[in-house]
Amino acid sequence: MRFLGLEITRRKRDKALSSVTENRSGWFRLFESFSGAWQTNVVVDRNLVLSYHAVYSCITLIASDISKLRVKLVAKDADGIWSEVVNPAYDPVLRKPNPVQNRIQFWEGWILSKLIRGNTYVLKMRDNRGVVNRLYVLDPQRVTPMIADEGSVFYQLSADNIAGLTEDVIVPAREIIHDRMNCMFHPLVGVSPIFAAGVAATQGLRIQNNSAWFFGNRSQPGGVLTAPGAISNETAARLKEHWDSNFTGENAGKVAVLGDNLKYERMSLTAEESQLIEQLRWTAEVVCSVFHVPPYKAGIGAMPTYNNIQALNVEYYSQCLQSLIEAAELCLDEGLEMSAGVGTEFDVEGLLRMDSVTQMEVLDKASGVMTIDEKRRKLDLKKVKGGDSVYLQQQNYSLEALAKRDAQTDPFGTAGAQTAPAAEPAANDNALAAEAAAAMVEILKGFR
C-alpha cells in the first residue's frame, strides 16, 4: 500500500522496532500504576481533573490566546531583516491546514493536545510534488513513538477517520510533526502540566463536591443521635430512618422533637470551620502556578492594582506563552521543510497590544525611527502622501551634514580638512566666509 508517498506493508511490526514505552518500569504511567499508588488514597483521574475550573480555564485560555495569533510566512532579506512574504507553496496550508478545520481550530487542537497530554502529533499529507498541503492533529492516545535498533525514529498510528487512516500504519519521523513539552523521562515523550496539578485539582473537586452536598443539605452539617442508655439495633435503625426521611435533604432545618433523653450532636465541620473558601482558592492557585498563568487571568483573585496593560501582557507572554509559541514555530518550520532564510512567525502584536495612551506615546517617540506610514500601519490606517519619510525636528542634524561642516573652515577662521584651491583665492574666500556664517547661524539655533 502506498501512503504519504511511501510504500507501507501490512506485515506485523518488525522486531527491530521497539516502542519507547516497552520495558520501562512505569515512567509512562503519569498518574498511578494502580489505584492510589501515586499518592496514598488519592486517585487522580485525568478526565475528571479536566473538569476542574482552574485546569479548564488555564488550558483554554492558553490555547485560545495562541490560536488567535496569525501565522506569518517570513523571509530574511539582504540586510538580515525578517519580513513577511508570500509563497504559494506554503501559504495555502498555513491559511487552511486541512478540510475539516480552519486555522484557529487547528491551533487550538495543537496547543490543547500539548497541554493535556504533553505531546502533539501532526500528520503531514503531501501532493504529487511532495509538498505538504494538509496537516492533521492526531489523537495522542492513537500514536506510539518507536525507535529502531540503529536509532531511527518511527511512529505507529492507529486508524483515524479524520486523517484518512483506515488501518494501523508505521511511518517515519519525517512524516510527523512532534511537538512535546517537559520531556523529563524520555526525549520522545512529553509530560503534561497536569502531572503536577493533578492532586491539587482532585482536592479542589472534592471540596466542590463536599460543598454541593453541604448546601444540598440546607447548610446543615451531619451529626449523631445519642441515647442515655443502650438501645437495640432495631430501634437504632428505626430512629436513623425516621431522622433521614424527615430532617435531611429538602427537610433539613425542620424542627425535631426528641424524647427519652435523645440528643443530637453535630459531627461534621461547617464550611467556615474547614476554611472551605481558602482551601478552594489555594488549590486553584496551585494549578495556575503549574501552568504559569497569572491567577487573575484565570478568574482567581483580584486584578493587580497598577494600571499597566502592556506590563501585564508582557509578563504573561514571557512566562507562559513564549516557549509554547517558539516551539510551535520551530516544529512548523522543520515540518514544512522550509529552506534556509524562510520561516514562520506568530504575529504577537495583537497579544502584546498596549492601551491607547501608551501606544500613541510610543509611536510619537518613534518619529526618528519609523515613517508616518509605518506608524499608521500599527493603527490599521492607510498610507498618506508623503508618509514614506522619516521626520525629525529642525535642530537635529544628520551625520553627513555634520561631517561636511567639520571638513570645512570653522566660523573662527581655523583651517579645516579642506583648503581652497590657489587658482581662485578671492572667490573661494567669499564662499568659505558665506558657509562659515551660515554654519554659525545654525549652531546658534541649536543653542536656543
Side-chain angles (χ1 to χ4, degrees), residues 259-276:
D260 296 332
N261 290 327
L262 289 176
K263 294 182 179 180
Y264 176 79
E265 296 180 3
R266 180 169 56 88
M267 296 291 291
S268 301
L269 296 176
T270 64
E272 181 180 0
E273 291 171 336
S274 61
Q275 296 182 325
L276 183 143

Side-chain angles (χ1 to χ4, degrees), residues 90-108:
Y90 304 118
D91 285 342
V93 72
L94 292 179
R95 292 195 306 268
K96 182 75 172 175
N98 58 65
V100 297
Q101 288 179 311
N102 57 33
R103 172 181 59 84
I104 292 180
Q105 294 166 345
F106 173 79
W107 283 108
E108 278 184 345

Side-chain angles (χ1 to χ4, degrees), residues 50-115:
L50 292 177
S51 66
Y52 185 50
H53 70 95
V55 175
Y56 186 89
S57 178
C58 287
I59 62 176
T60 54
L61 173 70
I62 296 172
S64 61
D65 281 343
I66 294 179
S67 63
K68 69 185 180 183
L69 304 178
R70 184 175 63 92
V71 181
K72 303 184 296 184
L73 183 66
V74 294
K76 184 186 292 185
D77 59 19
D79 297 326
I81 299 175
W82 291 88
S83 56
E84 188 172 2
V85 296
V86 177
N87 190 315
Y90 304 118
D91 285 342
V93 72
L94 292 179
R95 292 195 306 268
K96 182 75 172 175
N98 58 65
V100 297
Q101 288 179 311
N102 57 33
R103 172 181 59 84
I104 292 180
Q105 294 166 345
F106 173 79
W107 283 108
E108 278 184 345
W110 180 309
I111 301 301
L112 286 174
S113 176
K114 188 174 181 179
L115 293 175

Side-chain angles (χ1 to χ4, degrees), residues 326-383:
E326 294 190 4
E329 291 174 348
L330 182 59
C331 289
L332 194 60
D333 292 349
E334 295 176 351
L336 295 181
E337 302 169 4
M338 294 185 172
S339 57
V342 180
T344 56
E345 185 177 284
F346 282 87
D347 188 359
V348 298
E349 287 193 11
L351 179 67
L352 302 178
R353 184 168 297 170
M354 299 169 281
D355 61 277
S356 57
V357 175
T358 304
Q359 186 178 22
M360 297 306 297
E361 290 178 352
V362 171
L363 293 177
D364 181 62
K365 293 180 180 179
S367 297
V369 179
M370 303 173 64
T371 65
I372 297 295
D373 288 340
E374 289 173 339
K375 291 190 287 186
R376 289 175 62 86
R377 190 179 303 119
K378 298 289 184 181
L379 303 174
D380 292 330
L381 298 176
K382 295 182 179 180
K383 296 181 179 180

Side-chain angles (χ1 to χ4, degrees), residues 181-256:
M181 67 187 304
N182 305 326
C183 300
M184 298 186 291
F185 306 104
H186 192 280
L188 283 177
V189 179
V191 178
S192 167
I194 296 177
F195 175 67
V199 173
T202 302
Q203 180 182 354
L205 286 171
R206 290 185 176 181
I207 292 174
Q208 289 181 327
N209 291 334
N210 181 70
S211 177
W213 175 86
F214 177 76
F215 286 102
N217 198 39
R218 295 283 184 91
S219 305
Q220 297 293 329
V224 60
L225 288 173
T226 60
I231 59 175
S232 63
N233 292 335
E234 292 77 8
T235 301
R238 178 176 55 82
L239 291 174
K240 180 179 182 302
E241 182 181 358
H242 177 75
W243 188 270
D244 289 341
S245 60
N246 292 277
F247 305 106
T248 61
E250 295 181 356
N251 297 322
K254 289 185 176 180
V255 178

Side-chain angles (χ1 to χ4, degrees), residues 17 33-34 36 89 95-97 102 113 123 175 179 201 261 302-303 309 313 316 354 367 403 438:
L17 290 176
S33 55
F34 60 89
R95 292 195 306 268
K96 182 75 172 175
N102 57 33
S113 176
L123 177 63
E175 301 304 326
D179 189 6
N261 290 327
M303 282 282 294
I309 297 176
N313 287 338
Y316 171 53
M354 299 169 281
S367 297

